[in-house]
Amino acid sequence: MLRLLRRLGPVRHTRHGSHLDVRLRLSISALAHRPPYPPRNLPIARNAPVKKALTQLDHRIEAAVGHSIDRLWQHRDRDLLDEAHTQLVDAHRLLVQAEHSVTFYRVQLHSLSSGQYPVDNALFERIHRTVDLLQDAARTRDRQQAKTMAALEPVEAAARDRALRDVPDLPAPDIAALLAITQGAKLHQNLLTQQLYVVTASGTRIPYGQLQRLEEARLAVRDTSHPLTAGQPVTLTDTGRTALTAPRSAKAPGAVPAPRPGSWPTASTARR
């Protein structure tokens, strides 16, 4: 056994027996400037809790699908999505992973420039290497963002078509109320009469009953985090904005309104 150890390297004899004398030759500078460990591009396991990074497309995705990113990912894990939404979630997951890589190297670069390491050639080499890795991660992120946008476009188009079909045929007073709300509106409560009313930026008052009707139709929404005495902001939903821009159904050609009781007969009737 001792002969085998001597073949492997220098042997050090102690009271506990013979051991290989292995020593690591690392300087303080080498320990301080050890190479960074980039995150591995491992596939995200299904049903595994993952801390999602924020992307530039999160708000567009949530507006298109109608709920949060977390819920969308849960639907994907349960195989509840169609093909278009499935492709969107898969592309978005890769985009989140790319954002994690960008964040990792950006934090690493900030740590190198924070002043806790001595300024020497080893630090310069590590900064250059980290910058190169950050550029590669950013290019990968940009490519994945383009793929996610391509998967998002059909989902947004389907959401717009569905919104046009769901737009109700509003009467003129409701359209006028929606137009007034677009300029800014708040729901107030009178301290004496306890009456609720909506005041717009133009000074127009909208009855509370009309606001309730718009809320039931999902055309308007109010921020209940503010007290009524200070005013609760009232804004339009996506359906409400679509209702203002949707084409109006025209009346059937040739349709003549029925005469009111007691009114003078029309000219065509008098000539008969």
Side-chain angles (χ1 to χ4, degrees):
M1 185 65 182
L2 181 60
R3 186 177 301 174
L4 178 60
L5 291 176
R6 288 176 177 175
R7 290 182 180 179
L8 296 176
V11 179
R12 183 164 55 94
H13 301 279
T14 63
R15 62 176 181 174
H16 301 289
S18 301
H19 303 279
L20 285 174
D21 189 9
V22 179
R23 299 180 182 179
L24 298 177
R25 298 180 179 179
L26 294 178
S27 62
I28 300 299
S29 178
L31 290 175
H33 304 305
R34 60 186 181 276
Y37 295 94
R40 298 180 180 179
N41 294 326
L42 296 177
I44 301 177
R46 306 182 81 184
N47 300 327
V50 179
K51 185 178 180 181
K52 303 177 184 61
L54 297 178
T55 67
Q56 296 181 358
L57 301 179
D58 287 354
H59 66 287
R60 290 181 54 181
I61 294 176
E62 292 179 349
V65 301
H67 45 76
S68 64
I69 297 293
D70 294 338
R71 187 176 179 184
L72 182 63
W73 282 33
Q74 293 175 2
H75 289 176
R76 174 66 179 94
D77 295 335
R78 298 173 184 175
D79 295 330
L80 301 178
L81 302 178
D82 55 7
E83 183 179 358
H85 287 77
T86 299
Q87 293 179 357
L88 175 60
V89 174
D90 293 343
H92 182 258
R93 280 179 168 174
L94 294 177
L95 177 60
V96 169
Q97 191 173 1
E99 286 287 355
H100 276 298
S101 299
V102 172
T103 303
F104 174 83
Y105 292 118
R106 185 174 57 202
V107 173
Q108 188 72 31
L109 186 61
H110 180 269
S111 176
L112 293 175
S113 60
S114 60
Q116 58 180 335
Y117 301 117
V119 180
D120 52 11
N121 292 330
L123 178 63
F124 295 151
E125 293 177 359
R126 191 177 177 189
I127 289 177
H128 290 316
R129 184 166 60 253
T130 305
V131 170
D132 293 339
L133 294 174
L134 179 59
Q135 290 177 346
D136 294 339
R139 284 191 289 264
T140 303
R141 188 269 317 274
D142 295 341
R143 289 194 298 267
Q144 191 57 44
Q145 182 171 331
K147 294 179 181 179
T148 306
M149 290 182 62
L152 178 60
E153 289 178 356
V155 177
E156 287 181 332
R160 286 192 296 266
D161 296 340
R162 185 171 58 253
L164 290 176
R165 291 193 301 266
D166 297 339
V167 170
D169 192 6
L170 300 176
D174 290 344
I175 296 177
L178 293 178
L179 289 174
I181 292 175
T182 57
Q183 303 175 3
K186 287 186 177 181
L187 176 65
H188 294 273
Q189 184 179 24
N190 193 309
L191 296 179
L192 297 179
T193 62
Q194 303 298 318
Q195 183 181 3
L196 298 175
Y197 54 90
V198 179
V199 179
T200 63
S202 60
T204 305
R205 288 200 175 191
I206 301 175
Y208 179 63
Q210 188 176 9
L211 175 63
Q212 288 180 317
R213 187 169 62 254
L214 296 177
E215 287 180 335
E216 292 176 356
R218 297 182 179 179
L219 300 175
V221 63
R222 54 192 172 102
D223 188 0
T224 57
S225 62
H226 298 267
L228 287 173
T229 54
Q232 295 180 351
V234 180
T235 56
L236 298 184
T237 61
D238 293 338
T239 306
R241 286 187 287 268
T242 306
L244 291 178
T245 58
R248 302 294 161 202
S249 59
K251 296 183 179 180
V256 180
R260 293 178 297 175
S263 61
W264 189 261
T266 58
S268 59
T269 305
R271 292 176 183 174
R272 293 179 182 175

